[in-house]
Amino acid sequence: MSKLKILVINGPNLNMLGIREPDIYGKMTYPKLCEFIKEKADEAGIETCFFQSNHEGAIIDEIHSAYQKFDGIVINPGAFTHYSYAILDALKSVDIPTAEIHISDVDSREEFRKISVIRPACCVCIYGRGYQGYVDAVYELTEKISIK
Ligand code: DQA
């Protein structure tokens, strides 16, 4: 059986991990986070690719180019989570099983963070588990894809 392929997308300011509000987002850098996710995914025989951008259109282009190439998408859209209907539409367009992930517990922070406009396009939603949340998202998503 060929390996499942998961695209891990990170949105704005996530390239600043390790520097950005470490009390909320932790001390690991973005490259280290990717290594950590890849290592855990490799252990489970799952292939991962990584993409980060601070630009909404670039994220949309990446989602489009995942069509027929990836089995699943794990996405932390950063602040776009709370207002980007364009990212929601892009996810709906390609109809690839998607997991939404947030490092912080978005439900216990400011009011605006409690709203996710992309959630209707996601079959898994994980938040407040730190970096481990990405690994959990990859595993939970692949479980859903495998039983489909
Ligand atoms: C975040 C939460 C968002 O509200 C915020 O804008 C981010 C990161 C998280 O991972 O906890 O950039 O998605």
Side-chain angles (χ1 to χ4, degrees):
M1 215 177 78
S2 64
K3 280 187 179 184
L4 285 178
K5 282 181 76 176
I6 304 293
L7 174 63
V8 182
I9 299 177
N10 276 282
N13 301 306
L14 289 156
N15 57 314
M16 296 299 284
L17 284 179
I19 298 164
R20 172 192 190 198
E21 301 178 272
D23 45 322
I24 298 175
Y25 299 113
K27 295 198 174 98
M28 208 185 263
T29 61
Y30 173 71
K32 283 277 170 213
L33 170 67
C34 296
E35 264 178 48
F36 169 69
I37 301 165
K38 189 180 174 326
E39 203 181 292
K40 296 290 175 190
D42 282 353
E43 282 170 19
I46 302 159
E47 197 178 322
T48 41
C49 289
F50 296 87
F51 179 79
Q52 190 278 328
S53 177
N54 297 317
H55 306 278
E56 188 179 26
I59 293 169
I60 291 165
D61 288 343
E62 186 67 18
I63 292 169
H64 291 172
S65 59
Y67 183 66
Q68 292 185 331
K69 287 203 198 97
F70 285 91
D71 303 296
I73 294 174
V74 168
I75 186 166
N76 181 348
F80 286 141
T81 307
H82 315 301
Y83 63 92
S84 178
Y85 294 102
I87 291 179
L88 169 69
D89 283 348
L91 291 170
K92 282 184 167 176
S93 302
V94 295
D95 198 24
I96 298 170
T98 298
E100 174 186 356
I101 149 83
H102 301 285
I103 297 166
S104 66
D105 180 1
V106 279
D107 259 2
S108 66
R109 299 180 62 197
E110 300 95 321
E111 280 304 305
F112 77 90
R113 294 190 205 274
K114 294 181 183 165
I115 295 158
S116 167
V117 302
I118 69 136
R119 203 153 300 167
C122 301
C123 57
V124 172
C125 174
I126 289 172
Y127 53 87
R129 300 189 202 167
Y131 306 130
Q132 181 61 34
Y134 285 90
V135 176
D136 295 347
V138 169
Y139 288 173
E140 279 190 35
L141 187 65
T142 51
E143 228 173 84
K144 290 228 156 144
I145 296 165
S146 309
I147 55 173
K148 237 177 110 184

